[in-house]
Amino acid sequence: MRNRFIQILMAVFLISTIPFISTNKVSAATSNEIAAYAEKFFGTPYKFGGTTTSGFDCSGYIRYVFNNFNMSLPRTSEDQFRVGTTISKENLQPGDLVFFANTYKKGISHTGVYLGNNEFISAKSHGVLKANLKTNPYWAPKYAGAKRISNTQVAFEPVQVKPADQMSEAFKDLSKKHPAFEAIIALNESGVITGYEDFTFKPEKSITRGQAAVMINRELKLEASTEVTFKDVAPNHQFAADIAALNEAGILQGFATGEFGINDKLTRAHLAAIVNRAFYLQGQLDGKVQVASNYDDVPTSHWASEAIHALKTLDQTKVFQTPGFNVGKEATRAEFAAAVFTAISYK
């Protein structure tokens, strides 16, 4: 009986010494902790669409930092500007988000983390670097405001994921599980591809030759030496300059009829060929392990077979990791985004 009593006492003692683990809210980080954590990634290389320490893009870096503290932010800088509490420049403190406009597109287009003493850190084209809000000749004039993300604005308790929670913050019809999700968001953030006024992206909608010319040239920024002369493209058409530039460069040319086919739907075979010409996908295969097998419906004799094979081998999205390629099928906006994203990732 005495031994039983001693055992009970020891059990009570052991239980009382075990640290209490809360299943409710996770403690919020201090602003200085956020700033200190952000600074740890100084020098990390830039990667288009990057969301990990192997390479960040602008908003991917911001999300990575705040995710460490269980704070989930939207994917794009523009949407990140819509959350948090507005802070004046005079009241900035370390850990606040600072925003910049009109960098590569109109409106909010870049986000950084404020470190103090007028300094901020962000993922720029040359990597995660610091700059001064007041004296930097590029960033100072583009400063657009700041937001503070407090613990009262972020839900820490685990919640059951509902279908609506699986949708993108940027586009209401784009699932986060879509294989082209990261590609679409990255290209949207860089201004290459945009959505519609009703906040949809329409990922399965087909894409025309005219639209493809415009979006590819938003990245290449080519200029033609002469005006467009196609029968179906008026000189003052909004796509005219881009069409002329890509035609002159041999990337997306017109037909022998004298027309460009501005409203013709782009096929998947043409998509692969055009992206290959624009970004030289085949050249990116040099020195890389080619693990992708050929498509069962694309013989080596097909005019676009090499471009198609390069796209599958380099694919960063899994969109093109399918048994067949369907060369004659109309390319979708999601497939276009996946192809261009893959090409830019290897630039």
Side-chain angles (χ1 to χ4, degrees):
M1 184 68 180
R2 177 181 173 83
N3 289 339
R4 179 63 176 166
F5 178 74
I6 292 174
Q7 289 174 351
I8 293 173
L9 284 178
M10 289 180 67
V12 171
F13 174 77
L14 288 172
I15 291 173
S16 67
T17 58
I18 296 175
F20 177 72
I21 301 175
S22 173
T23 58
N24 296 322
K25 294 185 178 181
V26 178
S27 298
T30 66
S31 58
N32 285 327
E33 286 174 334
I34 294 173
Y37 187 72
E39 202 167 1
K40 286 184 178 181
F41 304 102
F42 179 83
T44 300
Y46 178 89
K47 182 179 180 181
F48 184 77
T51 59
T52 69
T53 52
S54 63
F56 290 115
D57 67 8
C58 166
S59 59
Y61 166 63
I62 298 300
R63 292 192 77 197
Y64 187 92
V65 169
F66 279 80
N67 281 346
N68 182 67
F69 302 101
N70 294 320
M71 297 182 181
S72 180
L73 296 180
R75 179 63 174 90
T76 68
S77 297
E78 185 177 6
D79 287 333
Q80 289 171 357
F81 191 61
R82 296 190 177 105
V83 301
T85 302
T86 301
I87 301 297
S88 67
K89 201 171 187 179
E90 294 72 26
N91 292 320
L92 279 169
Q93 67 180 29
D96 287 340
L97 292 179
V98 287
F99 295 87
F100 303 85
N102 306 323
T103 55
Y104 61 85
K105 66 175 182 177
K106 292 182 179 180
I108 301 298
S109 51
H110 192 77
T111 317
V113 177
Y114 186 66
L115 301 176
N117 297 319
N118 295 316
E119 196 173 48
F120 75 96
I121 188 169
S122 65
K124 308 174 180 68
S125 59
H126 296 294
V128 178
L129 300 172
K130 301 176 186 177
N132 193 290
L133 281 177
K134 290 187 176 181
T135 62
N136 186 279
Y138 180 81
W139 294 107
K142 299 181 185 300
Y143 177 78
K147 291 296 185 74
R148 182 167 298 159
I149 311 299
S150 70
N151 61 326
T152 59
Q153 295 162 332
V154 180
F156 289 91
E157 289 132 347
V159 295
Q160 185 176 3
V161 177
K162 300 176 182 178
D165 299 322
Q166 297 173 7
M167 303 308 288
S168 162
E169 295 93 346
F171 302 111
K172 62 185 181 182
D173 63 341
L174 178 63
S175 169
K176 293 178 181 178
K177 294 184 178 181
H178 193 292
F181 172 75
E182 287 294 339
I184 292 168
I185 295 301
L187 289 174
N188 175 245
E189 187 171 57
S190 66
V192 171
I193 191 167
T194 59
Y196 294 87
E197 292 182 356
D198 61 354
F199 300 103
T200 61
F201 182 77
K202 297 179 173 52
E204 305 311 314
K205 183 179 176 66
S206 58
I207 188 168
T208 66
R209 285 167 51 87
Q211 292 167 343
V214 171
M215 289 187 278
I216 287 176
N217 204 37
R218 284 173 183 163
E219 174 64 25
L220 297 180
K221 298 178 175 61
L222 300 177
E223 294 183 5
S225 58
T226 59
E227 290 185 357
V228 69
T229 57
F230 295 112
K231 296 177 182 178
D232 58 342
V233 183
N236 61 348
H237 192 284
Q238 59 177 332
F239 296 169
D242 298 300
I243 289 172
L246 263 63
N247 176 70
E248 189 173 286
I251 295 171
L252 183 51
Q253 296 180 301
F255 303 118
T257 60
E259 296 181 334
F260 180 77
I262 187 170
N263 294 317
D264 291 356
K265 302 296 174 59
L266 201 69
T267 67
R268 286 167 61 93
H270 282 106
L271 169 63
I274 291 165
V275 171
N276 181 48
R277 292 177 201 144
F279 303 101
Y280 192 33
L281 286 180
Q282 288 175 251
Q284 303 299 338
L285 293 177
D286 296 340
K288 293 187 171 58
V289 178
Q290 299 188 34
V291 296
S293 60
N294 292 327
Y295 289 106
D296 56 21
D297 61 347
V298 184
T300 55
S301 59
H302 190 279
W303 65 270
S305 63
E306 292 183 347
I308 292 169
H309 175 70
L311 180 59
K312 182 176 184 180
T313 302
L314 299 172
D315 183 20
Q316 297 289 294
T317 65
K318 296 184 179 180
V319 166
F320 302 106
Q321 302 310 307
T322 53
F325 187 73
N326 296 313
V327 291
K329 182 182 177 183
E330 292 179 357
T332 67
R333 283 167 55 81
E335 290 163 351
F336 176 86
V340 173
F341 174 78
T342 291
I344 295 176
S345 297
Y346 282 95
K347 281 179 63 180

